[in-house]
């Protein structure tokens, strides 16, 4: 998925909220988006999710299934939690919401009208409707806001699982709840400009090179042979073919070492 020169303003004469954003998101990416209040995080997340259109520029390659959990779940709807989630499941083609409701410990909430939910409980409903369709792009706006301790703990693992099966996860997050995940990308909005802070990937590579074993070691050595040493190439893209049944395990391990998947292609 790619953002090319994306700008956005709410009204014709308003200043730009997002200005000339360029970025690429790859399967398996987990991205933390930060910025001060009003920096444009929610706006960018809505653009990514396809809920708003750029004023200028393009967003291409968006995965077909998008899950979006808003910062404030709209509870002014005349449904119980169960009715709402059943309805969303039908809209999503019959996907299963029950395992997610169970995982987020929502059993006691299912019969309640949406309007009677606490902020954190409503937030969980928003998370379940975003997760139930196995999204290729999962967009979370302040996902940790108001959540109880168990759900806060569960969320990084859920993000990792979505990424491990090739999904992209992006979270606007003041609280740094995903920050400790290995390989997480860091985006910041400053005065409408999107910046990426790249963690020191060399540390991860060097660790892999001395630890031995993982495929990255051999790749690093052959690159040094071919390119004359790491100083000439800061990054390299490596195509790896492996049995389809091993993909999830491989992605999890690779991400655990600080590497990112750029593309997954099925071959015969
Ligand atoms: N519907 C709207 N109409 C006009 N301006 C808007 C609208 N929504 C947001 N804005 C403006 O766009 C800017 C960015 O808002 P946005 O909600 O994207 O920021 P944010 O980084 O998510 O903020 P916060 O951390 O407080 O949630 C702000 O100046 C805000 O006032």
């Amino acid at each position: 998925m790619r953002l090319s020169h994306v700008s956005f303003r709410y009204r014709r004469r308003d200043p730009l909220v997002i200005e000339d954003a360029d970025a690429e998101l790859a399967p398996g990416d987990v991205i933390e988006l930060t910025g001060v209040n009003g920096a444009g995080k929610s706006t960018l997340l809505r653009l990514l999710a396809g809920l708003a259109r750029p004023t200028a520029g393009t967003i291409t390659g968006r995965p077909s299934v998008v899950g979006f959990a808003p910062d404030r779940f709209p509870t002014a709807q005349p449904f119980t939690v169960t009715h709402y989630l059943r309805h969303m499941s039908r809209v999503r083609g019959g996907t299963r919401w029950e395992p997610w409701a169970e995982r987020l410990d929502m059993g006691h909430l299912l019969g309640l009208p949406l309007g009677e939910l606490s902020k954190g409980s409503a937030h969980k409903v928003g998370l379940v409707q975003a997760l139930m369709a196995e999204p290729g792009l999962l967009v979370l706006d302040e996902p940790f806001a108001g959540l109880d301790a168990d759900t806060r703990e569960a969320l990084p693992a859920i993000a990792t699982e979505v990424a491990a099966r090739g999904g992209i996860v992006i979270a606007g997050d003041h609280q740094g709840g995903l920050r400790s995940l290995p390989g997480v990308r860091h985006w910041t909005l400053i005065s409408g400009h999107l910046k990426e802070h790249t963690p020191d990937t060399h540390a991860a590579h060097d660790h892999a090179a001395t630890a031995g074993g993982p495929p990255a070691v051999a790749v690093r050595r052959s690159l040094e042979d071919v390119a004359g040493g790491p100083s000439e190439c800061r990054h390299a893209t490596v195509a790896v073919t492996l049995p389809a049944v091993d993909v999830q395990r491989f992605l999890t391990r690779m991400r655990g070492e600080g590497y990112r998947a750029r593309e997954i292609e099925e071959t015969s």
Side-chain angles (χ1 to χ4, degrees), residues 8 10-11 14 17-18 34-45 71-72 141-142 174 189:
F8 182 85
Y10 278 94
R11 281 177 288 267
D14 284 359
V17 175
I18 306 293
T34 55
V36 297
N37 290 132
K41 299 180 296 297
S42 296
T43 304
L44 182 62
L45 293 175
D71 55 345
R72 274 178 293 236
D141 198 347
E142 295 299 340
H174 278 303
L189 274 165

Side-chain angles (χ1 to χ4, degrees), residues 104 127 140 143-144 147 150-160 178:
L104 299 189
L127 286 170
L140 306 170
F144 293 91
L147 288 184
D150 285 350
T151 315
R152 290 178 64 83
E153 258 174 48
L155 218 45
I158 290 171
T160 303
L178 299 180

